[in-house]
Amino acid sequence: MGERWWCLVTLCGVLSATALANGSKCDLYSGSWVYDDSYPLYDSSKCPHIRKEYDCIKYGRPDLTYLKFRWHPTHCLLPRFDAEEFLKKMSGKKIMFVGDSVSVNQWQSMVCLLHAALPSESNITEETINSTTTVTYEDYGVSISVFLSHYLVDIEETEIGRVLMLDSITDGDVWKDNDVLIFNTWLWWYRRGEKQPWDYIEIGANIVKDMDRMVTFREALRTWADWVDSEVDTEKTTVFFQGVSPSHYNGADWNEPGVTNCGKETVPINGSIYKGGVPAAEKVVEQVLNSVKKQVSLLNITRLSQLRKDGHPSSYNAFKGMDCTHWCVAGVPDTWNQLLYAALV
Ligand SMILES: *[C@@H]1O[C@H](CO)[C@@H](O)[C@H](O)[C@H]1NC(C)=O
Ligand SMILES: *[C@@H]1O[C@H](CO)[C@@H](O)[C@H](O)[C@H]1NC(C)=O
Ligand SMILES: *[C@@H]1O[C@H](CO)[C@@H](O)[C@H](O)[C@H]1NC(C)=O
Ligand SMILES: *[C@@H]1O[C@H](CO)[C@@H](O)[C@H](O)[C@H]1NC(C)=O
Ligand SMILES: *[C@@H]1O[C@H](CO)[C@@H](O)[C@H](O)[C@H]1NC(C)=O
């Protein structure tokens, strides 16, 4: 039974990957969440890498049902994450997540998934240099990094103050040296006041105090797209862009008008329909990705994550603040990594 199950899973993994490549009916991103008692994929209390913003159980989350859901694509099976298979396939390779704290969220899930599956005597090292934290699986020569970049484009200190440079990506020289890149940016584009880490915006030859933020976001993504087309060797480097990670502060989006956060949510939305629809920023991401000439894949996590109003830390984090933006680890980012796994292995 065990063997047949695994065979089925592997076969379906192969079939779904083929079907995806053909752009035909098996879409790993369309589906629903089903209860699965074999989940979660690891015990978060044993993972040494989780930062205090995402360590929900450690900070007292009492309901644990949110750990028990598996993403079920309607027309195919999502292969189960096999750490050893992954490390063997990626042997000698460097993988880097680039983006804001949501990228850190996915990176932490990835290193926990791997940590949980490896023998305790495995040589795993962790090192932080400048903006990059890297965990290396020395026995496989695989490294998995996260490069913290809120906007992907540069912020430069100048005489007039900090300038968000919509046309410039100097950190790209560090990124393009990797074999797999997974990008993400969105969270910071609407931040203002004390949370805004720049004073001016430079676009073309102009410096302005502020601009329509969605336009600003689109311009930065275009700069990123041009950078991929001109600088990245996609024969060597596989490039993903992560779709917008949704937050849950507006109950009307999930048929609970008047609710203003995720604090009481303990189960996913049943089914595939999210009343809130596709976020405007996600449409921008998809438009820009369509304009990239080189091979870039969308890690289309938006809809499946929208259904997980129960997946956020809410008040169970080190700061006790209400966080319906990030995700508990273990939790929803494990599925993002299963989808990444399906695309890579
Ligand atoms: C995908 O395309 C290949 C080659 O064109 C074809 O042999 C295969 O049957 C297709 N698979 C699906 C699921 O459509
Ligand atoms: C992303 O997934 C959603 C939900 O399945 C789908 O409606 C949308 O078309 C997908 N986007 C892309 C660009 O494939
Ligand atoms: C782990 O790998 C690092 C880098 O190769 C090496 O310096 C270190 O000695 C190894 N540690 C053990 C316990 O093998
Ligand atoms: C870290 O940043 C410093 C200062 O910008 C730079 O000189 C150094 O080369 C960087 N280190 C690495 C490994 O990139
Ligand atoms: C979702 O709804 C279906 C029927 O509409 C039901 O059978 C199933 O148990 C529900 N799932 C969850 C997780 O509530």
Side-chain angles (χ1 to χ4, degrees), residues 64-85:
L64 300 179
T65 310
Y66 75 97
L67 292 166
K68 295 284 181 192
F69 290 89
R70 172 169 53 82
W71 177 245
H72 174 66
T74 311
H75 298 293
C76 42
L77 272 179
L78 182 58
R80 206 174 165 92
F81 189 90
D82 182 333
E84 196 177 341
E85 182 70 23

Short mmCIF file of all heavy atoms in Angstrom, two decimals, residues 64-85:
data_model
loop_
_atom_site.label_atom_id
_atom_site.label_comp_id
_atom_site.label_asym_id
_atom_site.label_seq_id
_atom_site.Cartn_x
_atom_site.Cartn_y
_atom_site.Cartn_z
N LEU A 64 -4.78 24.10 16.73
CA LEU A 64 -3.75 23.53 15.87
C LEU A 64 -4.30 22.94 14.57
O LEU A 64 -3.57 22.37 13.77
CB LEU A 64 -2.96 22.47 16.63
CG LEU A 64 -2.24 23.00 17.89
CD1 LEU A 64 -1.49 21.89 18.61
CD2 LEU A 64 -1.28 24.13 17.55
N THR A 65 -5.60 23.13 14.35
CA THR A 65 -6.21 22.57 13.14
C THR A 65 -5.59 23.16 11.88
O THR A 65 -5.47 22.49 10.85
CB THR A 65 -7.73 22.83 13.15
OG1 THR A 65 -8.23 22.40 14.41
CG2 THR A 65 -8.45 22.07 12.06
N TYR A 66 -5.15 24.41 11.96
CA TYR A 66 -4.59 25.07 10.76
C TYR A 66 -3.38 24.33 10.20
O TYR A 66 -3.00 24.53 9.04
CB TYR A 66 -4.21 26.53 11.07
CG TYR A 66 -2.94 26.68 11.89
CD1 TYR A 66 -1.72 26.95 11.28
CD2 TYR A 66 -2.96 26.53 13.27
CE1 TYR A 66 -0.55 27.07 12.02
CE2 TYR A 66 -1.79 26.64 14.03
CZ TYR A 66 -0.59 26.91 13.39
OH TYR A 66 0.56 27.01 14.12
N LEU A 67 -2.78 23.46 11.01
CA LEU A 67 -1.60 22.70 10.54
C LEU A 67 -1.98 21.48 9.70
O LEU A 67 -1.13 20.82 9.12
CB LEU A 67 -0.80 22.22 11.75
CG LEU A 67 -0.10 23.31 12.55
CD1 LEU A 67 0.38 22.77 13.88
CD2 LEU A 67 1.07 23.87 11.74
N LYS A 68 -3.27 21.17 9.68
CA LYS A 68 -3.73 19.87 9.17
C LYS A 68 -4.30 19.91 7.77
O LYS A 68 -5.07 19.03 7.39
CB LYS A 68 -4.81 19.32 10.12
CG LYS A 68 -4.29 18.99 11.51
CD LYS A 68 -3.52 17.71 11.46
CE LYS A 68 -2.99 17.28 12.81
NZ LYS A 68 -2.01 16.18 12.62
N PHE A 69 -3.98 20.95 7.00
CA PHE A 69 -4.56 21.02 5.67
C PHE A 69 -3.54 20.85 4.57
O PHE A 69 -2.45 21.39 4.64
CB PHE A 69 -5.34 22.32 5.50
CG PHE A 69 -6.59 22.34 6.32
CD1 PHE A 69 -6.58 22.81 7.63
CD2 PHE A 69 -7.76 21.81 5.81
CE1 PHE A 69 -7.73 22.78 8.41
CE2 PHE A 69 -8.91 21.77 6.58
CZ PHE A 69 -8.90 22.26 7.88
N ARG A 70 -3.93 20.07 3.60
CA ARG A 70 -3.09 19.81 2.42
C ARG A 70 -3.74 20.47 1.20
O ARG A 70 -4.96 20.43 1.04
CB ARG A 70 -3.01 18.28 2.21
CG ARG A 70 -2.34 17.84 0.93
CD ARG A 70 -2.05 16.33 0.94
NE ARG A 70 -3.25 15.53 1.25
CZ ARG A 70 -4.17 15.20 0.37
NH1 ARG A 70 -4.07 15.59 -0.90
NH2 ARG A 70 -5.22 14.49 0.72
N TRP A 71 -2.93 21.08 0.35
CA TRP A 71 -3.44 21.68 -0.88
C TRP A 71 -3.76 20.57 -1.87
O TRP A 71 -2.91 19.73 -2.14
CB TRP A 71 -2.42 22.66 -1.46
CG TRP A 71 -2.86 23.26 -2.76
CD1 TRP A 71 -2.27 23.09 -3.98
CD2 TRP A 71 -4.00 24.11 -2.98
NE1 TRP A 71 -2.97 23.79 -4.94
CE2 TRP A 71 -4.04 24.43 -4.36
CE3 TRP A 71 -5.00 24.63 -2.14
CZ2 TRP A 71 -5.02 25.24 -4.91
CZ3 TRP A 71 -5.98 25.44 -2.70
CH2 TRP A 71 -5.99 25.74 -4.06
N HIS A 72 -4.97 20.59 -2.39
CA HIS A 72 -5.43 19.54 -3.29
C HIS A 72 -5.81 20.16 -4.64
O HIS A 72 -6.93 20.67 -4.80
CB HIS A 72 -6.63 18.83 -2.66
CG HIS A 72 -7.27 17.83 -3.55
ND1 HIS A 72 -6.65 16.70 -3.96
CD2 HIS A 72 -8.50 17.82 -4.14
CE1 HIS A 72 -7.45 16.01 -4.76
NE2 HIS A 72 -8.58 16.68 -4.89
N PRO A 73 -4.89 20.12 -5.62
CA PRO A 73 -5.23 20.63 -6.95
C PRO A 73 -6.37 19.79 -7.53
O PRO A 73 -6.39 18.57 -7.34
CB PRO A 73 -3.94 20.45 -7.75
CG PRO A 73 -2.85 20.33 -6.72
CD PRO A 73 -3.49 19.65 -5.55
N THR A 74 -7.29 20.44 -8.21
CA THR A 74 -8.51 19.75 -8.66
C THR A 74 -8.21 18.59 -9.61
O THR A 74 -8.81 17.54 -9.51
CB THR A 74 -9.45 20.75 -9.37
OG1 THR A 74 -9.56 21.89 -8.52
CG2 THR A 74 -10.82 20.16 -9.60
N HIS A 75 -7.23 18.80 -10.52
CA HIS A 75 -7.02 17.78 -11.56
C HIS A 75 -5.72 17.01 -11.44
O HIS A 75 -5.32 16.32 -12.37
CB HIS A 75 -7.11 18.42 -12.94
CG HIS A 75 -8.45 19.03 -13.23
ND1 HIS A 75 -9.58 18.28 -13.38
CD2 HIS A 75 -8.83 20.32 -13.35
CE1 HIS A 75 -10.62 19.08 -13.60
NE2 HIS A 75 -10.19 20.33 -13.58
N CYS A 76 -4.98 17.18 -10.34
CA CYS A 76 -3.74 16.43 -10.21
C CYS A 76 -3.32 16.38 -8.74
O CYS A 76 -3.91 17.08 -7.91
CB CYS A 76 -2.61 17.05 -11.04
SG CYS A 76 -2.54 18.85 -10.99
N LEU A 77 -2.32 15.58 -8.46
CA LEU A 77 -1.83 15.50 -7.09
C LEU A 77 -0.55 16.32 -6.96
O LEU A 77 0.31 16.26 -7.83
CB LEU A 77 -1.51 14.06 -6.71
CG LEU A 77 -2.65 13.22 -6.14
CD1 LEU A 77 -2.14 11.81 -5.86
CD2 LEU A 77 -3.19 13.85 -4.87
N LEU A 78 -0.45 17.04 -5.87
CA LEU A 78 0.78 17.76 -5.59
C LEU A 78 1.74 16.76 -4.95
O LEU A 78 1.41 16.14 -3.95
CB LEU A 78 0.46 18.90 -4.62
CG LEU A 78 1.60 19.83 -4.22
CD1 LEU A 78 2.23 20.49 -5.44
CD2 LEU A 78 1.06 20.89 -3.26
N PRO A 79 2.95 16.56 -5.54
CA PRO A 79 3.85 15.57 -4.94
C PRO A 79 4.24 15.97 -3.53
O PRO A 79 4.38 17.16 -3.23
CB PRO A 79 5.06 15.58 -5.88
CG PRO A 79 4.97 16.82 -6.69
CD PRO A 79 3.52 17.22 -6.72
N ARG A 80 4.39 14.98 -2.66
CA ARG A 80 4.80 15.26 -1.30
C ARG A 80 6.27 15.69 -1.32
O ARG A 80 7.05 15.23 -2.15
CB ARG A 80 4.63 13.99 -0.46
CG ARG A 80 4.42 14.27 1.01
CD ARG A 80 4.11 12.98 1.77
NE ARG A 80 4.26 13.21 3.21
CZ ARG A 80 3.25 13.57 4.00
NH1 ARG A 80 2.03 13.73 3.51
NH2 ARG A 80 3.46 13.76 5.29
N PHE A 81 6.63 16.58 -0.42
CA PHE A 81 8.00 17.11 -0.38
C PHE A 81 8.95 16.01 0.08
O PHE A 81 8.80 15.47 1.17
CB PHE A 81 8.04 18.29 0.58
CG PHE A 81 9.34 19.05 0.54
CD1 PHE A 81 9.51 20.11 -0.33
CD2 PHE A 81 10.40 18.69 1.36
CE1 PHE A 81 10.70 20.81 -0.39
CE2 PHE A 81 11.60 19.38 1.32
CZ PHE A 81 11.76 20.44 0.44
N ASP A 82 9.93 15.68 -0.76
CA ASP A 82 10.92 14.66 -0.41
C ASP A 82 12.28 15.35 -0.32
O ASP A 82 12.91 15.66 -1.33
CB ASP A 82 10.92 13.57 -1.50
CG ASP A 82 11.90 12.42 -1.17
OD1 ASP A 82 12.90 12.68 -0.46
OD2 ASP A 82 11.67 11.30 -1.65
N ALA A 83 12.72 15.60 0.92
CA ALA A 83 13.91 16.41 1.16
C ALA A 83 15.15 15.82 0.50
O ALA A 83 15.95 16.53 -0.12
CB ALA A 83 14.13 16.58 2.66
N GLU A 84 15.29 14.49 0.63
CA GLU A 84 16.51 13.89 0.10
C GLU A 84 16.54 13.96 -1.43
O GLU A 84 17.57 14.29 -2.04
CB GLU A 84 16.62 12.44 0.57
CG GLU A 84 18.03 11.96 0.37
CD GLU A 84 18.26 10.55 0.88
OE1 GLU A 84 17.47 10.06 1.69
OE2 GLU A 84 19.25 9.95 0.42
N GLU A 85 15.40 13.67 -2.03
CA GLU A 85 15.27 13.78 -3.48
C GLU A 85 15.61 15.20 -3.94
O GLU A 85 16.33 15.42 -4.92
CB GLU A 85 13.81 13.42 -3.84
CG GLU A 85 13.48 13.43 -5.32
CD GLU A 85 14.12 12.28 -6.07
OE1 GLU A 85 14.44 11.26 -5.43
OE2 GLU A 85 14.30 12.42 -7.30
#
